[in-house]
Amino acid sequence: MWLRIAAACLLVFCAIGAMATGEQRAPVDDATAALLRPGGQWLTFEGRADPRGALVEPVIFDDHVIAARTVYHQDWAHRTGPAGTAAGPDFDAATCQGCHIETQTGRRTGSTLRIARPAVVSDRNRYGDQLTTRYLGDGNAEARVHIETLVSYFSYADGTERQLIRPFAYADTRDGRQVPAALRTAPLLYGWGLLEAIEPEFLGHFHDPRDRNGDGISGRASMKDEVHLQSVPAALGWKASHKQLSQQIRAALHNDMGVVSDVSAREISTAELALLTDYVRNLGVPDRRPGASDRGQDLFGLTGCADCHVTAMLTRADAHPEVAEQLIWPYSDFMLHDMGPELADPGDARDAAEWRTAPLWGAGFAEQHLPERGFLHDGRARDLEEAILWHGGEAERSRIAFSQLDAHDRALLLAYVRAL
């Protein structure tokens, strides 16, 4: 195992020198180019956007995936389950793409749905983990969510100012109470099958909750015990809440759409759940795009971005064939990091300021084609620059380093990230 990981690390170091995609990079041979494919050998697609097409779809498309696509695009609010009951009655979205707008076809909505969660323990005990805003039937929805914004300004070292917007949310509930809420947007679905398949021992290398190496970063792995009856590092979701893709999908079906997958009251069949999981597992990653430079790549490292947005990962040999034994480039260590009070959820959650490092692959592609989508866990950042300026806690040093660059170098660093 360790020989395999060491060999992968050697490949990474050899390939990193050829990663910039602008004019300054010397041509690379086919073997090196293959190593640089963000989603590995099978799940990387050419990042060209069809105005009426999805920004991400399965790369391997056969009869099985076509059947799975039907389940993914199912409108659960207008379909009865095997037991004759409809999805809901409380829900937020009727379809998967209602939250994951990067998978929408036709005319996209532009902005992603923001989910509201009770901010304090007493309200979570009363309403559960999510305050749903839609209801099937004649009654009222569980909550009506109100979002207000606070505008502030960040000043760069050169005197340039950038406006920042921070959302605050509260909900009027159907039982007549007003409760504070924390907001969530749906993470981008690029390459989630690959993330599920990351080698656990590779991830474990970045687990350093006490900062024993003294680098100022104390990321910790979110250890989950789901299917194999053993604790393994999780990589899925804003809080790295799930290791298994099927468990992540079950949670989304239940919390977002009111679709029950439990055997006792099943509203989605076992076969449909398997198809839905396979569909998401096969979603690809957009290839690198022009615009980066050697200087931008250097600045990404010098400012400390690469300390948490780790360039490459290795997938397991025993994973599904389309994702097994792949060198991938998600740009995340998938650890939970304290990102400071400005990014902390409101309320009393113990892990309020901790967030899994968001993968950067395809972020520039989404920023270009979904300009209203937003970034960070609550969608507050209108673009990638604004997302950087919200970094605090363990990432504050990187934000300061970025803010001290001149305008030209800031543009080069951002161009590098947008090309990933």
Side-chain angles (χ1 to χ4, degrees):
M1 171 62 69
W2 284 108
L3 286 176
R4 184 166 164 265
I5 292 177
C9 290
L10 180 60
L11 290 174
V12 171
F13 292 138
C14 291
I16 279 177
M19 281 179 49
T21 57
E23 295 78 4
Q24 298 180 36
R25 193 186 79 179
V28 298
D29 58 35
D30 290 343
T32 302
L35 290 177
L36 295 175
R37 290 172 66 80
Q41 183 177 3
W42 308 114
L43 293 187
T44 302
F45 65 90
E46 187 174 357
R48 290 183 177 177
D50 178 349
R52 298 189 62 82
L55 290 189
V56 56
E57 287 191 302
V59 176
I60 304 169
F61 220 87
D62 53 23
D63 290 343
H64 177 78
V65 175
I66 291 172
R69 187 178 188 273
T70 301
V71 180
Y72 181 86
H73 289 280
Q74 171 70 51
D75 183 344
W76 295 98
H78 295 88
R79 165 241 163 96
T80 57
T85 56
D90 292 301
F91 68 108
D92 276 306
T95 64
C96 298
Q97 63 269 25
C99 291
H100 295 285
I101 61 173
E102 69 275 15
T103 64
Q104 289 179 1
T105 57
R107 185 175 181 179
R108 292 188 285 265
T109 61
S111 59
T112 192
L113 178 67
R114 290 200 273 193
I115 302 301
R117 300 165 60 92
V120 299
V121 169
S122 59
D123 290 329
R124 289 194 291 275
N125 291 337
R126 180 188 293 261
Y127 302 108
D129 289 335
Q130 195 157 311
L131 292 161
T132 52
T133 57
R134 298 174 67 183
Y135 183 77
L136 286 175
D138 297 329
N140 295 323
E142 182 180 36
R144 182 179 180 185
V145 177
H146 307 272
I147 301 175
E148 300 178 354
T149 57
L150 176 66
V151 176
S152 61
Y153 291 87
F154 182 90
S155 295
Y156 286 107
D158 62 9
T160 305
E161 284 193 334
R162 175 64 199 260
Q163 185 189 71
L164 303 179
I165 295 179
R166 179 177 183 175
F168 294 90
Y170 65 93
D172 293 324
T173 64
R174 65 179 163 212
D175 59 0
R177 301 177 70 245
Q178 189 174 92
V179 301
L183 296 173
R184 293 286 188 279
T185 62
L188 290 165
L189 281 181
Y190 298 136
W192 274 40
L194 293 163
L195 303 187
E196 177 190 41
I198 292 175
E199 174 60 60
E201 292 190 44
F202 205 113
L203 280 179
H205 173 75
F206 303 103
H207 177 66
D208 185 21
R210 297 184 180 180
D211 190 21
R212 291 180 176 174
N213 62 5
D215 65 354
I217 298 172
S218 54
R220 67 178 181 88
S222 174
M223 306 302 291
K224 297 297 175 182
D225 183 2
E226 291 181 336
V227 175
H228 298 109
L229 301 181
Q230 59 182 346
S231 291
V232 292
L236 302 178
W238 291 114
K239 295 284 189 181
S241 301
H242 296 286
K243 166 62 181 174
Q244 300 295 325
L245 189 55
S246 61
Q247 294 296 323
Q248 179 78 22
I249 289 173
R250 281 174 177 265
L253 284 167
H254 181 265
N255 295 331
D256 301 336
M257 292 179 278
V259 177
V260 178
S261 58
D262 296 337
V263 175
S264 59
R266 191 183 300 278
E267 294 172 336
I268 179 173
S269 69
T270 301
E272 287 175 317
L273 183 62
L275 283 170
L276 183 55
T277 303
D278 283 345
Y279 187 82
V280 177
R281 181 176 288 122
N282 280 282
L283 292 176
V285 181
D287 205 349
R288 298 178 187 280
R289 304 190 298 158
S293 64
D294 292 342
R295 176 64 176 168
Q297 179 181 328
D298 291 343
L299 290 168
F300 186 81
L302 291 170
T303 55
C305 299
D307 293 345
C308 295
H309 291 284
V310 174
T311 55
M313 290 280 166
L314 182 70
T315 62
R316 305 190 321 271
D318 63 347
H320 291 264
E322 65 272 19
V323 298
E325 291 193 290
Q326 297 293 301
L327 182 65
I328 61 174
W329 300 77
Y331 287 82
S332 172
D333 60 5
F334 299 98
M335 297 295 107
L336 293 171
H337 295 278
D338 185 337
M339 296 296 289
E342 292 298 315
L343 280 181
D345 268 342
D348 53 9
R350 293 179 59 185
D351 63 348
E354 285 189 331
W355 303 101
R356 177 210 64 165
T357 305
L360 294 180
W361 57 9
F365 188 58
E367 180 189 50
Q368 178 182 354
H369 298 290
L370 297 172
E372 303 300 321
R373 179 190 174 276
F375 291 94
L376 301 177
H377 64 279
D378 54 10
R380 71 175 68 182
R382 291 162 292 181
D383 54 32
L384 291 169
E385 179 185 4
E386 195 170 344
I388 293 172
L389 297 181
W390 277 113
H391 280 47
E394 294 174 45
E396 185 170 3
R397 289 188 304 176
S398 292
R399 183 198 65 197
I400 292 173
F402 175 75
S403 72
Q404 291 176 341
L405 300 175
D406 61 32
H408 178 68
D409 277 351
R410 293 199 304 269
L412 290 177
L413 192 156
L414 285 167
Y416 176 76
V417 173
R418 287 169 175 145
L420 297 178

